[in-house]
Amino acid sequence: MTALIQNLGIIIGTGALWFFMDYLNREHLSIFKISDFIYLVYLPAGYRLVTVITFGWLGALGIGLAYAIRIYFFRDLPLIDVAVLATLYALAPLVAIKTWERIFNITPNLANISVLNLFWLSCFSALFNASFRIIFFAYADMSFGLLELSQLVTGNLMGTFLMLYILKILTRIYLALNSKQSL
């Protein structure tokens, strides 16, 4: 029972934090807004990746659930489209991380990852997210061009890299402070 409550807490907590990150992006980074759903800096993409690195499938489930709730209530999409889009949105960081781990033979530990590897992880995440969105738009018979694709990749890449780089710095500071305290 305790594991179930803990898992539900992770799912609900990651979803709630995703809502907060989405709100921050919409309200405070609106200068980077290109269209109704494309930003040149999209911080929730980075949060999504960090959540999946930290919590795995539970993080992806929380993110997917939060995204489904948001698009169900704020976009005019049928329920099946909401489910498909939320599933693709949650799977993109999982696929990106697994692909990155296999290609570079790395485990996601933000303290010891080079900036170049953070960049590659950000690229994979942005590309998979954009690809999955394109798949959805093709499925939903919606028009989506190369310009929107490149903007989506750029926004996800910038948001993800920025988030991962900030977390890397914070992780190093935390580890440095802890090593001084243990002396």
Side-chain angles (χ1 to χ4, degrees), residues 9-57:
I10 290 170
I11 292 167
I12 293 168
T14 56
L17 282 174
W18 181 87
F19 273 112
F20 178 69
M21 289 295 300
D22 187 58
Y23 168 79
L24 285 178
N25 206 88
R26 281 185 287 116
E27 295 300 319
H28 298 290
L29 295 177
S30 61
I31 61 171
F32 296 111
K33 187 173 185 174
I34 295 171
S35 72
D36 190 32
F37 63 92
I38 298 177
Y39 291 81
L40 280 179
V41 176
Y42 187 63
L43 290 178
Y47 172 74
R48 192 173 58 214
L49 190 65
V50 169
T51 299
V52 172
I53 288 171
T54 306
F55 298 112
W57 284 99

mmCIF file of all heavy atoms in Angstrom, residues 9-57:
data_model
loop_
_atom_site.group_PDB
_atom_site.id
_atom_site.type_symbol
_atom_site.label_atom_id
_atom_site.label_comp_id
_atom_site.label_asym_id
_atom_site.label_seq_id
_atom_site.Cartn_x
_atom_site.Cartn_y
_atom_site.Cartn_z
ATOM 1 N N GLY A 9 1.756 9.622 -5.580
ATOM 2 C CA GLY A 9 2.337 10.918 -5.229
ATOM 3 C C GLY A 9 3.302 11.406 -6.301
ATOM 4 O O GLY A 9 3.303 12.599 -6.646
ATOM 5 N N ILE A 10 4.104 10.503 -6.837
ATOM 6 C CA ILE A 10 5.031 10.865 -7.921
ATOM 7 C C ILE A 10 4.262 11.289 -9.167
ATOM 8 O O ILE A 10 4.559 12.314 -9.777
ATOM 9 C CB ILE A 10 5.985 9.688 -8.232
ATOM 10 C CG1 ILE A 10 6.968 9.493 -7.079
ATOM 11 C CG2 ILE A 10 6.734 9.923 -9.543
ATOM 12 C CD1 ILE A 10 7.792 8.221 -7.174
ATOM 13 N N ILE A 11 3.243 10.508 -9.522
ATOM 14 C CA ILE A 11 2.452 10.820 -10.720
ATOM 15 C C ILE A 11 1.745 12.165 -10.561
ATOM 16 O O ILE A 11 1.830 13.029 -11.436
ATOM 17 C CB ILE A 11 1.440 9.686 -11.009
ATOM 18 C CG1 ILE A 11 2.192 8.421 -11.437
ATOM 19 C CG2 ILE A 11 0.428 10.110 -12.069
ATOM 20 C CD1 ILE A 11 1.334 7.165 -11.449
ATOM 21 N N ILE A 12 1.081 12.373 -9.438
ATOM 22 C CA ILE A 12 0.355 13.624 -9.210
ATOM 23 C C ILE A 12 1.329 14.793 -9.054
ATOM 24 O O ILE A 12 1.116 15.870 -9.611
ATOM 25 C CB ILE A 12 -0.579 13.490 -7.989
ATOM 26 C CG1 ILE A 12 -1.698 12.496 -8.308
ATOM 27 C CG2 ILE A 12 -1.154 14.848 -7.573
ATOM 28 C CD1 ILE A 12 -2.507 12.055 -7.106
ATOM 29 N N GLY A 13 2.414 14.579 -8.330
ATOM 30 C CA GLY A 13 3.398 15.639 -8.115
ATOM 31 C C GLY A 13 4.081 16.077 -9.388
ATOM 32 O O GLY A 13 4.227 17.287 -9.644
ATOM 33 N N THR A 14 4.496 15.115 -10.221
ATOM 34 C CA THR A 14 5.154 15.493 -11.477
ATOM 35 C C THR A 14 4.173 16.190 -12.408
ATOM 36 O O THR A 14 4.537 17.137 -13.096
ATOM 37 C CB THR A 14 5.777 14.275 -12.185
ATOM 38 O OG1 THR A 14 4.779 13.273 -12.409
ATOM 39 C CG2 THR A 14 6.918 13.684 -11.385
ATOM 40 N N GLY A 15 2.928 15.745 -12.386
ATOM 41 C CA GLY A 15 1.909 16.412 -13.203
ATOM 42 C C GLY A 15 1.645 17.836 -12.727
ATOM 43 O O GLY A 15 1.555 18.763 -13.527
ATOM 44 N N ALA A 16 1.547 18.018 -11.421
ATOM 45 C CA ALA A 16 1.311 19.357 -10.866
ATOM 46 C C ALA A 16 2.484 20.282 -11.179
ATOM 47 O O ALA A 16 2.282 21.446 -11.551
ATOM 48 C CB ALA A 16 1.080 19.268 -9.367
ATOM 49 N N LEU A 17 3.698 19.796 -11.056
ATOM 50 C CA LEU A 17 4.867 20.619 -11.389
ATOM 51 C C LEU A 17 4.926 20.929 -12.881
ATOM 52 O O LEU A 17 5.387 21.996 -13.277
ATOM 53 C CB LEU A 17 6.152 19.946 -10.918
ATOM 54 C CG LEU A 17 6.426 20.067 -9.424
ATOM 55 C CD1 LEU A 17 7.651 19.240 -9.031
ATOM 56 C CD2 LEU A 17 6.604 21.508 -9.005
ATOM 57 N N TRP A 18 4.452 19.995 -13.707
ATOM 58 C CA TRP A 18 4.405 20.283 -15.141
ATOM 59 C C TRP A 18 3.445 21.440 -15.409
ATOM 60 O O TRP A 18 3.748 22.327 -16.207
ATOM 61 C CB TRP A 18 3.993 19.058 -15.952
ATOM 62 C CG TRP A 18 3.983 19.375 -17.410
ATOM 63 C CD1 TRP A 18 5.031 19.307 -18.276
ATOM 64 C CD2 TRP A 18 2.876 19.872 -18.176
ATOM 65 N NE1 TRP A 18 4.642 19.726 -19.526
ATOM 66 C CE2 TRP A 18 3.325 20.086 -19.489
ATOM 67 C CE3 TRP A 18 1.560 20.163 -17.872
ATOM 68 C CZ2 TRP A 18 2.497 20.563 -20.501
ATOM 69 C CZ3 TRP A 18 0.733 20.650 -18.869
ATOM 70 C CH2 TRP A 18 1.217 20.838 -20.176
ATOM 71 N N PHE A 19 2.274 21.434 -14.734
ATOM 72 C CA PHE A 19 1.336 22.549 -14.886
ATOM 73 C C PHE A 19 2.008 23.866 -14.501
ATOM 74 O O PHE A 19 1.832 24.883 -15.165
ATOM 75 C CB PHE A 19 0.087 22.349 -14.018
ATOM 76 C CG PHE A 19 -0.989 21.547 -14.670
ATOM 77 C CD1 PHE A 19 -1.310 20.290 -14.197
ATOM 78 C CD2 PHE A 19 -1.693 22.054 -15.748
ATOM 79 C CE1 PHE A 19 -2.310 19.545 -14.794
ATOM 80 C CE2 PHE A 19 -2.704 21.318 -16.347
ATOM 81 C CZ PHE A 19 -3.004 20.059 -15.871
ATOM 82 N N PHE A 20 2.779 23.850 -13.415
ATOM 83 C CA PHE A 20 3.472 25.046 -12.967
ATOM 84 C C PHE A 20 4.502 25.500 -14.012
ATOM 85 O O PHE A 20 4.580 26.690 -14.329
ATOM 86 C CB PHE A 20 4.152 24.784 -11.617
ATOM 87 C CG PHE A 20 4.929 25.956 -11.102
ATOM 88 C CD1 PHE A 20 4.271 27.099 -10.675
ATOM 89 C CD2 PHE A 20 6.311 25.908 -11.047
ATOM 90 C CE1 PHE A 20 4.986 28.190 -10.198
ATOM 91 C CE2 PHE A 20 7.030 26.995 -10.580
ATOM 92 C CZ PHE A 20 6.371 28.142 -10.144
ATOM 93 N N MET A 21 5.288 24.565 -14.550
ATOM 94 C CA MET A 21 6.273 24.907 -15.577
ATOM 95 C C MET A 21 5.580 25.445 -16.827
ATOM 96 O O MET A 21 6.057 26.406 -17.436
ATOM 97 C CB MET A 21 7.123 23.692 -15.962
ATOM 98 C CG MET A 21 8.096 23.244 -14.909
ATOM 99 S SD MET A 21 9.366 24.454 -14.564
ATOM 100 C CE MET A 21 10.135 24.622 -16.132
ATOM 101 N N ASP A 22 4.481 24.859 -17.211
ATOM 102 C CA ASP A 22 3.732 25.327 -18.382
ATOM 103 C C ASP A 22 3.200 26.736 -18.138
ATOM 104 O O ASP A 22 3.262 27.594 -19.015
ATOM 105 C CB ASP A 22 2.592 24.353 -18.686
ATOM 106 C CG ASP A 22 1.877 24.691 -19.974
ATOM 107 O OD1 ASP A 22 2.536 24.734 -21.027
ATOM 108 O OD2 ASP A 22 0.655 24.925 -19.918
ATOM 109 N N TYR A 23 2.697 26.974 -16.935
ATOM 110 C CA TYR A 23 2.213 28.306 -16.578
ATOM 111 C C TYR A 23 3.356 29.324 -16.644
ATOM 112 O O TYR A 23 3.202 30.410 -17.211
ATOM 113 C CB TYR A 23 1.594 28.283 -15.180
ATOM 114 C CG TYR A 23 1.336 29.663 -14.631
ATOM 115 C CD1 TYR A 23 0.225 30.396 -15.037
ATOM 116 C CD2 TYR A 23 2.209 30.241 -13.714
ATOM 117 C CE1 TYR A 23 -0.008 31.665 -14.550
ATOM 118 C CE2 TYR A 23 1.989 31.514 -13.225
ATOM 119 C CZ TYR A 23 0.884 32.220 -13.643
ATOM 120 O OH TYR A 23 0.666 33.482 -13.161
ATOM 121 N N LEU A 24 4.510 28.993 -16.053
ATOM 122 C CA LEU A 24 5.657 29.901 -16.104
ATOM 123 C C LEU A 24 6.060 30.203 -17.538
ATOM 124 O O LEU A 24 6.362 31.353 -17.871
ATOM 125 C CB LEU A 24 6.851 29.297 -15.361
ATOM 126 C CG LEU A 24 6.804 29.308 -13.854
ATOM 127 C CD1 LEU A 24 8.043 28.616 -13.275
ATOM 128 C CD2 LEU A 24 6.698 30.721 -13.316
ATOM 129 N N ASN A 25 6.064 29.176 -18.366
ATOM 130 C CA ASN A 25 6.454 29.379 -19.760
ATOM 131 C C ASN A 25 5.453 30.284 -20.477
ATOM 132 O O ASN A 25 5.846 31.206 -21.183
ATOM 133 C CB ASN A 25 6.568 28.032 -20.474
ATOM 134 C CG ASN A 25 7.514 28.085 -21.635
ATOM 135 O OD1 ASN A 25 8.702 27.879 -21.464
ATOM 136 N ND2 ASN A 25 7.017 28.386 -22.816
ATOM 137 N N ARG A 26 4.176 30.027 -20.291
ATOM 138 C CA ARG A 26 3.158 30.833 -20.964
ATOM 139 C C ARG A 26 3.130 32.280 -20.463
ATOM 140 O O ARG A 26 2.989 33.211 -21.241
ATOM 141 C CB ARG A 26 1.764 30.214 -20.792
ATOM 142 C CG ARG A 26 1.496 29.047 -21.710
ATOM 143 C CD ARG A 26 0.065 28.529 -21.613
ATOM 144 N NE ARG A 26 -0.113 27.807 -20.349
ATOM 145 C CZ ARG A 26 -0.953 28.195 -19.373
ATOM 146 N NH1 ARG A 26 -1.684 29.258 -19.512
ATOM 147 N NH2 ARG A 26 -1.060 27.491 -18.271
ATOM 148 N N GLU A 27 3.286 32.470 -19.147
ATOM 149 C CA GLU A 27 3.139 33.804 -18.572
ATOM 150 C C GLU A 27 4.428 34.628 -18.602
ATOM 151 O O GLU A 27 4.376 35.838 -18.762
ATOM 152 C CB GLU A 27 2.634 33.703 -17.121
ATOM 153 C CG GLU A 27 1.243 33.133 -17.024
ATOM 154 C CD GLU A 27 0.199 33.953 -17.774
ATOM 155 O OE1 GLU A 27 0.246 35.197 -17.717
ATOM 156 O OE2 GLU A 27 -0.673 33.339 -18.423
ATOM 157 N N HIS A 28 5.569 33.984 -18.429
ATOM 158 C CA HIS A 28 6.812 34.739 -18.286
ATOM 159 C C HIS A 28 7.751 34.629 -19.481
ATOM 160 O O HIS A 28 8.737 35.357 -19.550
ATOM 161 C CB HIS A 28 7.526 34.335 -16.996
ATOM 162 C CG HIS A 28 6.707 34.643 -15.777
ATOM 163 N ND1 HIS A 28 6.467 35.930 -15.350
ATOM 164 C CD2 HIS A 28 6.025 33.832 -14.936
ATOM 165 C CE1 HIS A 28 5.698 35.899 -14.278
ATOM 166 N NE2 HIS A 28 5.412 34.636 -14.007
ATOM 167 N N LEU A 29 7.488 33.731 -20.368
ATOM 168 C CA LEU A 29 8.295 33.617 -21.584
ATOM 169 C C LEU A 29 7.434 33.842 -22.823
ATOM 170 O O LEU A 29 7.742 33.337 -23.899
ATOM 171 C CB LEU A 29 8.997 32.254 -21.651
ATOM 172 C CG LEU A 29 10.034 31.991 -20.556
ATOM 173 C CD1 LEU A 29 10.602 30.587 -20.681
ATOM 174 C CD2 LEU A 29 11.146 33.015 -20.582
ATOM 175 N N SER A 30 6.365 34.576 -22.651
ATOM 176 C CA SER A 30 5.446 34.805 -23.767
ATOM 177 C C SER A 30 6.093 35.597 -24.901
ATOM 178 O O SER A 30 5.595 35.570 -26.029
ATOM 179 C CB SER A 30 4.172 35.492 -23.298
ATOM 180 O OG SER A 30 4.479 36.751 -22.729
ATOM 181 N N ILE A 31 7.202 36.271 -24.637
ATOM 182 C CA ILE A 31 7.900 36.982 -25.719
ATOM 183 C C ILE A 31 8.469 36.009 -26.741
ATOM 184 O O ILE A 31 8.746 36.389 -27.874
ATOM 185 C CB ILE A 31 9.022 37.903 -25.179
ATOM 186 C CG1 ILE A 31 10.068 37.096 -24.429
ATOM 187 C CG2 ILE A 31 8.463 39.023 -24.356
ATOM 188 C CD1 ILE A 31 11.303 37.890 -24.064
ATOM 189 N N PHE A 32 8.623 34.743 -26.334
ATOM 190 C CA PHE A 32 9.136 33.717 -27.245
ATOM 191 C C PHE A 32 8.022 32.942 -27.940
ATOM 192 O O PHE A 32 8.291 31.970 -28.642
ATOM 193 C CB PHE A 32 10.046 32.737 -26.494
ATOM 194 C CG PHE A 32 11.281 33.366 -25.942
ATOM 195 C CD1 PHE A 32 11.459 33.509 -24.572
ATOM 196 C CD2 PHE A 32 12.276 33.826 -26.791
ATOM 197 C CE1 PHE A 32 12.599 34.086 -24.062
ATOM 198 C CE2 PHE A 32 13.423 34.406 -26.283
ATOM 199 C CZ PHE A 32 13.575 34.542 -24.924
ATOM 200 N N LYS A 33 6.771 33.346 -27.731
ATOM 201 C CA LYS A 33 5.639 32.636 -28.329
ATOM 202 C C LYS A 33 5.540 32.967 -29.814
ATOM 203 O O LYS A 33 5.528 34.112 -30.210
ATOM 204 C CB LYS A 33 4.341 33.037 -27.623
ATOM 205 C CG LYS A 33 3.155 32.229 -28.057
ATOM 206 C CD LYS A 33 1.949 32.567 -27.208
ATOM 207 C CE LYS A 33 0.795 31.666 -27.573
ATOM 208 N NZ LYS A 33 -0.334 31.858 -26.679
ATOM 209 N N ILE A 34 5.469 31.912 -30.635
ATOM 210 C CA ILE A 34 5.379 32.068 -32.080
ATOM 211 C C ILE A 34 3.950 31.855 -32.550
ATOM 212 O O ILE A 34 3.435 32.588 -33.381
ATOM 213 C CB ILE A 34 6.322 31.073 -32.787
ATOM 214 C CG1 ILE A 34 7.750 31.404 -32.439
ATOM 215 C CG2 ILE A 34 6.104 31.093 -34.286
ATOM 216 C CD1 ILE A 34 8.747 30.371 -32.912
ATOM 217 N N SER A 35 3.319 30.816 -32.025
ATOM 218 C CA SER A 35 1.935 30.518 -32.385
ATOM 219 C C SER A 35 1.232 29.996 -31.142
ATOM 220 O O SER A 35 1.787 30.032 -30.042
ATOM 221 C CB SER A 35 1.874 29.491 -33.521
ATOM 222 O OG SER A 35 2.234 28.214 -33.052
ATOM 223 N N ASP A 36 0.038 29.482 -31.321
ATOM 224 C CA ASP A 36 -0.761 29.015 -30.193
ATOM 225 C C ASP A 36 -0.065 27.921 -29.385
ATOM 226 O O ASP A 36 -0.273 27.809 -28.194
ATOM 227 C CB ASP A 36 -2.115 28.513 -30.716
ATOM 228 C CG ASP A 36 -3.081 28.241 -29.591
ATOM 229 O OD1 ASP A 36 -3.016 28.944 -28.570
ATOM 230 O OD2 ASP A 36 -3.895 27.319 -29.732
ATOM 231 N N PHE A 37 0.779 27.133 -30.012
ATOM 232 C CA PHE A 37 1.405 26.026 -29.285
ATOM 233 C C PHE A 37 2.902 25.903 -29.547
ATOM 234 O O PHE A 37 3.498 24.878 -29.218
ATOM 235 C CB PHE A 37 0.701 24.703 -29.610
ATOM 236 C CG PHE A 37 0.801 24.315 -31.067
ATOM 237 C CD1 PHE A 37 1.831 23.522 -31.505
ATOM 238 C CD2 PHE A 37 -0.148 24.740 -31.982
ATOM 239 C CE1 PHE A 37 1.926 23.160 -32.831
ATOM 240 C CE2 PHE A 37 -0.062 24.387 -33.312
ATOM 241 C CZ PHE A 37 0.980 23.595 -33.735
ATOM 242 N N ILE A 38 3.548 26.924 -30.068
ATOM 243 C CA ILE A 38 4.989 26.858 -30.341
ATOM 244 C C ILE A 38 5.692 28.052 -29.694
ATOM 245 O O ILE A 38 5.294 29.194 -29.893
ATOM 246 C CB ILE A 38 5.281 26.842 -31.853
ATOM 247 C CG1 ILE A 38 4.666 25.605 -32.505
ATOM 248 C CG2 ILE A 38 6.785 26.846 -32.103
ATOM 249 C CD1 ILE A 38 4.847 25.539 -34.012
ATOM 250 N N TYR A 39 6.727 27.748 -28.921
ATOM 251 C CA TYR A 39 7.583 28.743 -28.285
ATOM 252 C C TYR A 39 9.017 28.505 -28.740
ATOM 253 O O TYR A 39 9.422 27.364 -28.937
ATOM 254 C CB TYR A 39 7.549 28.605 -26.762
ATOM 255 C CG TYR A 39 6.242 28.987 -26.126
ATOM 256 C CD1 TYR A 39 5.167 28.103 -26.093
ATOM 257 C CD2 TYR A 39 6.081 30.227 -25.549
ATOM 258 C CE1 TYR A 39 3.965 28.452 -25.503
ATOM 259 C CE2 TYR A 39 4.880 30.596 -24.954
ATOM 260 C CZ TYR A 39 3.835 29.704 -24.944
ATOM 261 O OH TYR A 39 2.648 30.057 -24.356
ATOM 262 N N LEU A 40 9.790 29.575 -28.854
ATOM 263 C CA LEU A 40 11.212 29.409 -29.187
ATOM 264 C C LEU A 40 12.023 28.911 -27.996
ATOM 265 O O LEU A 40 13.109 28.376 -28.167
ATOM 266 C CB LEU A 40 11.814 30.704 -29.728
ATOM 267 C CG LEU A 40 11.524 30.979 -31.187
ATOM 268 C CD1 LEU A 40 12.129 32.296 -31.631
ATOM 269 C CD2 LEU A 40 12.028 29.844 -32.076
ATOM 270 N N VAL A 41 11.511 29.099 -26.791
ATOM 271 C CA VAL A 41 12.074 28.493 -25.585
ATOM 272 C C VAL A 41 10.905 27.855 -24.850
ATOM 273 O O VAL A 41 10.010 28.550 -24.380
ATOM 274 C CB VAL A 41 12.772 29.534 -24.680
ATOM 275 C CG1 VAL A 41 13.253 28.885 -23.399
ATOM 276 C CG2 VAL A 41 13.928 30.199 -25.413
ATOM 277 N N TYR A 42 10.920 26.518 -24.758
ATOM 278 C CA TYR A 42 9.828 25.800 -24.127
ATOM 279 C C TYR A 42 10.388 24.988 -22.958
ATOM 280 O O TYR A 42 10.837 23.854 -23.113
ATOM 281 C CB TYR A 42 9.125 24.904 -25.148
ATOM 282 C CG TYR A 42 7.877 24.246 -24.607
ATOM 283 C CD1 TYR A 42 6.780 25.015 -24.201
ATOM 284 C CD2 TYR A 42 7.785 22.874 -24.494
ATOM 285 C CE1 TYR A 42 5.645 24.428 -23.691
ATOM 286 C CE2 TYR A 42 6.639 22.267 -23.989
ATOM 287 C CZ TYR A 42 5.577 23.049 -23.588
ATOM 288 O OH TYR A 42 4.443 22.468 -23.085
ATOM 289 N N LEU A 43 10.394 25.611 -21.761
ATOM 290 C CA LEU A 43 10.968 24.982 -20.575
ATOM 291 C C LEU A 43 10.282 23.674 -20.158
ATOM 292 O O LEU A 43 10.950 22.786 -19.642
ATOM 293 C CB LEU A 43 10.978 25.970 -19.412
ATOM 294 C CG LEU A 43 11.959 27.132 -19.541
ATOM 295 C CD1 LEU A 43 11.826 28.064 -18.347
ATOM 296 C CD2 LEU A 43 13.372 26.640 -19.699
ATOM 297 N N PRO A 44 8.958 23.508 -20.344
ATOM 298 C CA PRO A 44 8.359 22.229 -19.969
ATOM 299 C C PRO A 44 8.978 21.025 -20.700
ATOM 300 O O PRO A 44 8.931 19.913 -20.189
ATOM 301 C CB PRO A 44 6.886 22.405 -20.333
ATOM 302 C CG PRO A 44 6.648 23.867 -20.154
ATOM 303 C CD PRO A 44 7.918 24.504 -20.661
ATOM 304 N N ALA A 45 9.578 21.237 -21.860
ATOM 305 C CA ALA A 45 10.254 20.130 -22.550
ATOM 306 C C ALA A 45 11.438 19.644 -21.714
ATOM 307 O O ALA A 45 11.677 18.446 -21.600
ATOM 308 C CB ALA A 45 10.720 20.561 -23.932
ATOM 309 N N GLY A 46 12.163 20.579 -21.127
ATOM 310 C CA GLY A 46 13.281 20.207 -20.254
ATOM 311 C C GLY A 46 12.797 19.544 -18.980
ATOM 312 O O GLY A 46 13.362 18.554 -18.520
ATOM 313 N N TYR A 47 11.736 20.088 -18.400
ATOM 314 C CA TYR A 47 11.172 19.488 -17.196
ATOM 315 C C TYR A 47 10.693 18.066 -17.470
ATOM 316 O O TYR A 47 10.911 17.152 -16.671
ATOM 317 C CB TYR A 47 10.015 20.337 -16.655
ATOM 318 C CG TYR A 47 9.296 19.660 -15.527
ATOM 319 C CD1 TYR A 47 9.879 19.576 -14.272
ATOM 320 C CD2 TYR A 47 8.069 19.052 -15.730
ATOM 321 C CE1 TYR A 47 9.244 18.911 -13.242
ATOM 322 C CE2 TYR A 47 7.419 18.398 -14.710
ATOM 323 C CZ TYR A 47 8.008 18.328 -13.465
ATOM 324 O OH TYR A 47 7.381 17.659 -12.456
ATOM 325 N N ARG A 48 10.075 17.885 -18.611
ATOM 326 C CA ARG A 48 9.581 16.561 -19.003
ATOM 327 C C ARG A 48 10.729 15.553 -19.044
ATOM 328 O O ARG A 48 10.623 14.442 -18.524
ATOM 329 C CB ARG A 48 8.912 16.706 -20.374
ATOM 330 C CG ARG A 48 8.117 15.557 -20.819
ATOM 331 C CD ARG A 48 7.382 15.873 -22.097
ATOM 332 N NE ARG A 48 8.290 16.251 -23.165
ATOM 333 C CZ ARG A 48 8.024 17.132 -24.103
ATOM 334 N NH1 ARG A 48 6.876 17.749 -24.115
ATOM 335 N NH2 ARG A 48 8.880 17.399 -25.044
ATOM 336 N N LEU A 49 11.841 15.954 -19.616
ATOM 337 C CA LEU A 49 12.998 15.063 -19.720
ATOM 338 C C LEU A 49 13.595 14.774 -18.347
ATOM 339 O O LEU A 49 13.905 13.621 -18.028
ATOM 340 C CB LEU A 49 14.045 15.687 -20.647
ATOM 341 C CG LEU A 49 15.191 14.786 -21.053
ATOM 342 C CD1 LEU A 49 14.687 13.616 -21.896
ATOM 343 C CD2 LEU A 49 16.221 15.584 -21.830
ATOM 344 N N VAL A 50 13.740 15.792 -17.511
ATOM 345 C CA VAL A 50 14.293 15.600 -16.170
ATOM 346 C C VAL A 50 13.390 14.695 -15.339
ATOM 347 O O VAL A 50 13.861 13.833 -14.599
ATOM 348 C CB VAL A 50 14.511 16.966 -15.472
ATOM 349 C CG1 VAL A 50 14.832 16.790 -13.993
ATOM 350 C CG2 VAL A 50 15.618 17.737 -16.174
ATOM 351 N N THR A 51 12.086 14.868 -15.483
ATOM 352 C CA THR A 51 11.137 14.030 -14.754
ATOM 353 C C THR A 51 11.266 12.566 -15.152
ATOM 354 O O THR A 51 11.251 11.678 -14.300
ATOM 355 C CB THR A 51 9.694 14.526 -15.008
ATOM 356 O OG1 THR A 51 9.595 15.853 -14.531
ATOM 357 C CG2 THR A 51 8.678 13.660 -14.316
ATOM 358 N N VAL A 52 11.448 12.321 -16.428
ATOM 359 C CA VAL A 52 11.595 10.939 -16.890
ATOM 360 C C VAL A 52 12.954 10.374 -16.468
ATOM 361 O O VAL A 52 13.048 9.203 -16.103
ATOM 362 C CB VAL A 52 11.367 10.848 -18.416
ATOM 363 C CG1 VAL A 52 11.704 9.469 -18.938
ATOM 364 C CG2 VAL A 52 9.924 11.196 -18.747
ATOM 365 N N ILE A 53 14.000 11.187 -16.474
ATOM 366 C CA ILE A 53 15.305 10.731 -15.972
ATOM 367 C C ILE A 53 15.171 10.350 -14.499
ATOM 368 O O ILE A 53 15.686 9.317 -14.063
ATOM 369 C CB ILE A 53 16.387 11.830 -16.133
ATOM 370 C CG1 ILE A 53 16.774 11.992 -17.600
ATOM 371 C CG2 ILE A 53 17.633 11.502 -15.301
ATOM 372 C CD1 ILE A 53 17.670 13.185 -17.878
ATOM 373 N N THR A 54 14.460 11.153 -13.732
ATOM 374 C CA THR A 54 14.349 10.949 -12.295
ATOM 375 C C THR A 54 13.385 9.821 -11.925
ATOM 376 O O THR A 54 13.696 8.987 -11.079
ATOM 377 C CB THR A 54 13.880 12.261 -11.608
ATOM 378 O OG1 THR A 54 14.754 13.322 -11.995
ATOM 379 C CG2 THR A 54 13.894 12.126 -10.105
ATOM 380 N N PHE A 55 12.220 9.784 -12.553
ATOM 381 C CA PHE A 55 11.166 8.859 -12.114
ATOM 382 C C PHE A 55 10.784 7.797 -13.147
ATOM 383 O O PHE A 55 9.897 6.994 -12.877
ATOM 384 C CB PHE A 55 9.910 9.639 -11.722
ATOM 385 C CG PHE A 55 10.124 10.583 -10.583
ATOM 386 C CD1 PHE A 55 10.062 11.951 -10.785
ATOM 387 C CD2 PHE A 55 10.397 10.114 -9.312
ATOM 388 C CE1 PHE A 55 10.261 12.834 -9.746
ATOM 389 C CE2 PHE A 55 10.597 10.983 -8.257
ATOM 390 C CZ PHE A 55 10.534 12.353 -8.465
ATOM 391 N N GLY A 56 11.397 7.804 -14.310
ATOM 392 C CA GLY A 56 11.114 6.795 -15.321
ATOM 393 C C GLY A 56 9.673 6.825 -15.793
ATOM 394 O O GLY A 56 9.107 7.883 -16.065
ATOM 395 N N TRP A 57 9.060 5.627 -15.856
ATOM 396 C CA TRP A 57 7.687 5.504 -16.354
ATOM 397 C C TRP A 57 6.693 6.293 -15.520
ATOM 398 O O TRP A 57 5.711 6.821 -16.043
ATOM 399 C CB TRP A 57 7.273 4.032 -16.385
ATOM 400 C CG TRP A 57 7.873 3.290 -17.523
ATOM 401 C CD1 TRP A 57 8.976 2.478 -17.488
ATOM 402 C CD2 TRP A 57 7.421 3.295 -18.872
ATOM 403 N NE1 TRP A 57 9.229 1.990 -18.736
ATOM 404 C CE2 TRP A 57 8.285 2.463 -19.615
ATOM 405 C CE3 TRP A 57 6.374 3.910 -19.543
ATOM 406 C CZ2 TRP A 57 8.135 2.246 -20.966
ATOM 407 C CZ3 TRP A 57 6.223 3.693 -20.906
ATOM 408 C CH2 TRP A 57 7.105 2.868 -21.589
#
